[in-house]
Amino acid sequence: MNETQTQLDIDREKGNFRYNVDYEFDAGTGLNEKTIDYICDVKDEPDWIRKFRKDALKKFLEKPMPTHWASHDLENIIFDKIRYYLSQGGQKPKKTWDEVPEDVKRTFERLGIPEQERKFLAGVEAQFDSEAAYSNIKEAVGKQGVIFMGSTDALKEHPEIFRKWFGKVIPTGDNKFSALNSAAFSGGSFIYVPPGVKVTHPLQAYFRINAENFGQFERTLIIADEGAEVTYMEGCTAPKFDTATLHSAVVELVALRGAKIQYITVQNWSNNVFNLVTKRGLAMEDAEVKWIDCNIGSRLTMKYPGVVMKGRRARGEVISIALAGDGQHQDTGAKMVHAADETTSNIVSKSISVGTGRATYRGLVKIPSHLKGCKNNTECDALLINTSSRTDTYPAISVRGTGNACQHEASVSQVSSEQIFYMQQRGLTEAQAMSLSVNGFVNDLVRQFPMEYSVELKRLIDLEMEGSVG
Amino acid sequence: MKHLKIDNLHVSIGQSEILRGLSLDLPTGQVHAIMGPNGSGKSTLAKVIAGHPDYTVTSGDILVDGESILEMEPDARARQGIFLAFQYPSEIPGVTIANFLRAALQARLPEGKELEATEYYAKLYEKMDLLEMPRTFTSRAVNEGFSGGEKKRCEILQMAMLQPTFALLDETDSGLDIDALKIVSHGVNSLRGPETGMLVITHYQRLLNYIVPDFVHVMVNGRIVESGTKELALKLEAEGYDWATEPEAEAVAV
Ligand SMILES: Nc1ncnc2c1ncn2[C@@H]1O[C@H](COP(=O)(O)OP(=O)(O)OP(=O)(O)O)[C@@H](O)[C@H]1O
Ligand SMILES: [Mg+2]
């Protein structure tokens, strides 16, 4: 029995290790114009980006913390103590793992990234603090004209596509954190899939925070041209620190006519991370944007992936699983903006609260009255593990007009002590019983994940539950 | 041979005492039936043996081969061979019978040993055939949306898979139609043998025509007031419990 626990403990702490790294580039603490100049100089960025960043900084400073509706825990982020840019091996990611500096390579090997790449991925980008240490795309995929590179390289190498969409799906001033990201962004992926190209294997990015008192601000832009299809997956971990770490990404997706983008996240942040992310997709005629979002860990996550359905018959979908462990707050949801006739959206959200964990669902569905034949389906289910757990639902559904349909279902259930006893009576420990119940609860959603990720997800749930009892 | 011994057991829930000095000996190889009026404490007895946390043992003991199991967690008792077929089985949404039983069997294996999938499914299908359960059941969530009879059949399937040393069957016959009763009894009988001891709780003598007990005990008010052979069940069927609940009957209690 003891042996099991040790083994599981090591696993649960999968991301909780850290090698000492010397940072060659360090913008120091705090964010001001000088920090931005430092980042622009180091990255050798064009002037329009410098201006873009400085405008964003103004907006960030102007905007109040959204504590009038969101958690007051946000007030505990001390922006002046955070380091906004840290990089070790320079700004150019390596194309082979052999070239990646040893300690950084060791980190990603321990997280299993090179192995996954060999097994089932079409391309990988591995970001270590502010910059990607490794970025590579399989030759066959590159030959199809697919571009997969870091956002810094993309804005220099492909300005014509990059500038056209950058900041268009999520304007700088969308919210305080999108402004922060726009001012300090570094890393993240740029993907362009040419018309009609269907990328059969997923492209993956892995975001690793290694440094203390650090903020990671990756910026991702994915464009699927007409009839193209792509699946992108991201994973993330950070070691546990006593101090707060900030992760604030902006992800913009553009699915042109008839294109399909699927974006999968499995995050496993340590519970000192403030994870404040803005994610939105634009779906043109007959296009589809699907977010599959799984949030485990972090101190506070605020994330509401959205889809703006701009073309006729466009489809948007958000499938999300949030697990709020002891002391954690998962504030997640979805935004569906219908902006054309016959657009359909689907939201399925499942949250699990353990111990003092708190899960909040916020949904926004907008169907204006002049549209016809639009449909939304929203389901949100919450599972409470202990009596001290908490869940709240704030659906804001504004459906106007008579030719539109909206369906909304919500449920809250609890793992009862009788259920746990029943399972224990069959020989499962209390932790195994809880973990199986939780897995059962999310089972139908997990099936939508690619195999490799659903196995990982199941394991993460097991480990989280193992930690939640006695 | 193994031995489950209940020794002068007193059990309370909150302030009220439910079992009041109950003793019972169940060696493997025997089937004991317990009958008794509603609320007499039959399910309580079964759940206390299984280690249900709501009940407090105020005195007495439960022993397996002379060792007290009172300090053991329910799952440890289960892995030691105690199985309870619940009167009211819980639903486990989203967890399929196949996955559930697999996890339960896996939990019995030593560290680092993986359950062999092909053997597992072969055994599962064999037991399902025995209980005439359609294969589609494997992919249904445990007890979720099951009819009363299906739940009971699922309990026996689990028992057949886990092969307990001591099986406690709490009103497994209630909710079963006559055909199902025969099938389930057949399933239970196929597990009878020198390695297994069974405690069968029922209200109906009819079940005991199919699962013929070695001993029948009558439980009233948290105690066993009369023990005998299977003929005792016929007497109960004919006369009810009135004779046993009368004060002088308590005097003859074991
Ligand atoms: N959790 C509980 N809380 C309060 N009272 C309880 C609880 N469990 C059992 N009891 C009480 O203990 C007594 C015995 O209940 P038990 O379920 O053991 O009876 P039983 O003999 O199995 O009855 P039946 O034949 O109706 O199944 C009843 O009066 C019941 O109300
Ligand atoms: Mg009962």
Side-chain angles (χ1 to χ4, degrees):
Chain A
M1 194 57 243
N2 264 337
E3 260 174 70
T4 329
Q5 262 167 3
T6 340
Q7 199 195 349
L8 290 174
D9 269 349
I10 291 168
D11 261 348
R12 183 171 71 238
E13 306 276 305
K14 185 178 177 187
N16 188 22
F17 64 91
R18 178 174 182 268
Y19 299 117
N20 254 330
V21 161
D22 292 325
Y23 292 98
E24 196 178 334
F25 304 94
D26 181 347
T29 57
L31 181 65
N32 50 45
E33 294 228 346
K34 271 195 205 132
T35 330
I36 288 178
D37 284 327
Y38 180 90
I39 295 172
C40 290
D41 292 344
V42 165
K43 292 168 93 70
D44 191 23
E45 289 177 339
D47 284 343
W48 71 270
I49 283 289
R50 196 182 296 258
K51 181 167 181 312
F52 176 90
R53 289 181 184 277
K54 289 190 178 172
D55 289 347
L57 177 64
K58 279 201 202 87
K59 290 204 174 111
F60 167 66
L61 296 172
E62 275 163 28
K63 280 197 175 283
M65 268 299 187
T67 40
H68 58 289
W69 60 269
S71 167
H72 282 271
D73 195 20
L74 287 172
E75 283 155 7
N76 294 313
I77 305 173
I78 303 167
F79 290 99
D80 285 342
K81 285 206 173 148
I82 287 170
R83 295 189 284 176
Y84 289 80
Y85 183 88
L86 282 177
S87 114
Q88 184 210 21
Q91 287 69 40
K92 196 84 190 152
K94 305 293 185 266
K95 291 238 177 284
T96 65
W97 284 106
D98 283 343
E99 297 166 80
V100 174
E102 196 51 39
D103 36 13
V104 175
K105 189 170 106 185
R106 260 198 298 170
T107 300
F108 287 114
E109 265 169 1
R110 194 158 156 179
L111 294 165
I113 310 302
E115 190 193 338
Q116 289 178 2
E117 180 182 17
R118 283 193 299 275
K119 275 197 199 147
F120 71 99
L121 299 169
V124 168
E125 186 182 325
Q127 180 164 339
F128 194 85
D129 294 329
S130 295
E131 295 286 0
Y134 172 87
S135 173
N136 195 23
I137 180 168
K138 294 232 162 97
E139 211 181 309
V141 184
K143 279 203 180 121
Q144 292 177 297
V146 177
I147 302 169
F148 178 45
M149 57 170 59
S151 54
T152 310
D153 287 341
L155 68 90
K156 289 184 232 168
E157 290 175 36
H158 301 281
E160 66 306 333
I161 333 177
F162 190 90
R163 272 188 93 157
K164 184 169 176 194
W165 294 109
F166 176 73
K168 298 300 189 319
V169 187
I170 302 171
T172 299
D174 186 82
N175 63 74
K176 190 169 178 77
F177 300 102
S178 63
L180 172 64
N181 175 282
S182 301
F185 76 93
S186 182
S189 311
F190 172 78
I191 295 171
Y192 171 76
V193 187
V197 172
K198 295 179 169 61
V199 187
T200 45
H201 293 280
L203 295 163
Q204 178 178 279
Y206 199 92
F207 298 100
R208 171 69 179 173
I209 294 179
N210 191 63
E212 200 167 353
N213 290 324
F214 174 68
Q216 189 173 54
F217 307 100
E218 86 269 11
R219 179 97 192 186
T220 290
L221 173 59
I222 300 175
I223 299 149
D225 213 323
E226 297 193 357
E229 289 179 18
V230 64
T231 296
Y232 179 84
M233 314 203 294
E234 62 169 354
C236 14
T237 54
K240 259 178 217 154
F241 292 120
D242 294 334
T243 55
T245 302
L246 179 58
H247 176 255
S248 188
V250 165
V251 178
E252 297 175 286
L253 310 182
V254 180
L256 296 179
R257 190 197 303 198
K260 278 189 188 171
I261 302 178
Q262 182 162 299
Y263 192 108
I264 303 167
T265 305
V266 177
Q267 71 168 49
N268 179 21
W269 292 119
S270 53
N271 47 17
N272 57 305
V273 175
F274 282 94
N275 183 42
L276 311 164
V277 172
T278 312
K279 288 180 162 170
R280 198 170 302 150
L282 191 62
M284 309 307 265
E285 203 170 292
D286 293 310
E288 182 182 307
V289 169
K290 179 170 182 173
W291 299 97
I292 300 182
D293 202 32
C294 174
N295 302 300
I296 293 179
S298 84
R299 169 169 171 175
L300 170 67
T301 285
M302 287 173 64
K303 193 203 284 179
Y304 323 97
V307 183
V308 179
M309 288 148 278
K310 240 194 140 180
R312 219 180 152 104
R313 291 180 302 274
R315 293 177 304 280
E317 192 163 1
V318 172
I319 306 286
S320 79
I321 298 172
L323 200 159
D326 222 9
Q328 300 175 351
H329 185 179
Q330 302 283 1
D331 194 323
T332 59
K335 277 185 190 169
M336 292 296 181
V337 179
H338 292 253
D341 288 342
E342 295 169 64
T343 47
T344 51
S345 61
N346 185 33
I347 301 170
V348 185
S349 154
K350 296 209 176 194
S351 70
I352 302 124
S353 312
V354 186
T356 60
R358 181 173 167 200
T360 305
Y361 169 83
R362 292 178 210 275
L364 178 79
V365 177
K366 259 193 201 158
I367 307 181
S369 60
H370 66 274
L371 296 181
K372 283 187 284 297
C374 298
K375 279 190 204 125
N376 164 264
N377 175 58
T378 300
E379 282 168 49
C380 45
D381 300 319
L383 183 71
L384 303 177
I385 301 285
N386 308 73
T387 40
S388 55
S389 317
R390 179 170 165 190
T391 181
D392 316 282
T393 305
Y394 305 98
I397 298 179
S398 120
V399 179
R400 306 260 150 75
T402 46
N404 300 313
C406 179
Q407 205 179 320
H408 182 252
E409 275 175 48
S411 77
V412 177
S413 47
Q414 193 154 12
V415 177
S416 68
S417 53
E418 282 306 314
Q419 190 180 329
I420 296 294
F421 176 68
Y422 183 83
M423 297 169 94
Q424 280 191 277
Q425 208 305 300
R426 300 309 186 234
L428 302 174
T429 63
E430 192 181 354
Q432 286 167 339
M434 281 195 194
S435 163
L436 204 57
S437 303
V438 170
N439 272 299
F441 174 70
V442 296
N443 200 11
D444 50 335
L445 296 192
V446 172
R447 270 190 234 134
Q448 304 217 23
F449 285 64
M451 176 63 180
E452 291 77 5
Y453 266 40
S454 58
V455 171
E456 168 81 358
L457 188 58
K458 191 185 164 304
R459 212 182 48 82
L460 284 176
I461 291 172
D462 287 351
L463 300 168
E464 196 67 35
M465 299 319 297
E466 185 76 28
S468 73
V469 291
Chain B
M1 192 180 74
K2 292 196 158 226
H3 214 104
L4 175 67
K5 188 179 168 68
I6 318 290
D7 186 16
N8 194 21
L9 194 69
H10 289 256
V11 170
S12 300
I13 184 155
Q15 291 304 313
S16 56
E17 181 165 61
I18 298 167
L19 299 186
R20 309 154 186 246
L22 186 143
S23 297
L24 185 77
D25 263 318
L26 177 65
T28 50
Q30 291 188 1
V31 173
H32 291 222
I34 293 192
M35 304 180 81
N38 293 132
S40 55
K42 304 178 298 296
S43 295
T44 302
L45 173 64
K47 285 195 263 185
V48 165
I49 297 171
H52 196 291
D54 285 357
Y55 302 93
T56 317
V57 174
T58 50
S59 71
D61 210 343
I62 305 172
L63 311 117
V64 172
D65 289 347
E67 297 275 333
S68 174
I69 61 166
L70 287 181
E71 293 303 313
M72 288 167 82
E73 290 294 312
D75 52 295
R77 298 186 196 196
R79 290 193 300 269
Q80 218 200 42
I82 291 172
F83 180 90
L84 170 58
F86 287 76
Q87 183 176 5
Y88 305 108
S90 292
E91 300 187 1
I92 314 172
V95 178
T96 63
I97 292 182
N99 280 345
F100 183 54
L101 278 171
R102 204 177 165 150
L105 284 167
Q106 180 68 52
R108 286 164 168 76
L109 294 180
E111 181 71 30
K113 196 161 183 277
E114 277 290 313
L115 193 69
E116 220 280 300
T118 355
E119 275 172 35
Y120 165 68
Y121 275 100
K123 184 173 170 185
L124 180 62
Y125 291 151
E126 179 205 318
K127 302 298 181 192
M128 288 178 80
D129 290 348
L130 175 75
L131 293 163
E132 298 184 24
M133 291 174 82
R135 294 278 156 95
T136 48
F137 264 86
T138 52
S139 56
R140 286 186 62 179
V142 179
N143 296 325
E144 199 180 25
F146 284 21
S147 74
E150 285 166 346
K151 282 185 183 169
K152 295 303 168 77
R153 216 182 276 213
C154 179
E155 293 293 288
I156 300 308
L157 173 68
Q158 294 177 52
M159 174 171 100
M161 289 299 286
L162 299 175
Q163 291 174 305
T165 317
F166 297 104
L168 320 168
L169 310 187
D170 193 357
E171 295 197 27
T172 301
D173 54 334
S174 63
L176 292 179
D177 65 45
I178 190 70
D179 291 332
L181 183 68
K182 284 181 193 163
I183 295 162
V184 165
S185 304
H186 174 62
V188 171
N189 284 330
S190 69
L191 289 167
R192 274 181 90 154
E195 308 292 303
T196 314
M198 290 187 189
L199 194 64
V200 179
I201 297 169
T202 183
H203 285 293
Y204 304 104
Q205 193 275 330
R206 191 183 56 184
L207 175 73
L208 305 180
N209 289 336
Y210 298 104
I211 304 172
V212 182
D214 299 296
F215 295 95
V216 174
H217 308 279
V218 180
M219 186 165 164
V220 177
N221 247 322
R223 266 187 223 135
I224 288 175
V225 294
E226 173 105 14
S227 297
T229 53
K230 63 179 194 296
E231 282 70 33
L232 182 56
L234 291 170
K235 179 180 170 192
L236 289 170
E237 182 100 327
E239 300 174 17
Y241 295 108
D242 278 355
W243 59 271
T245 50
E246 275 158 24
E248 54 274 26
E250 284 203 30
V252 299
V254 255

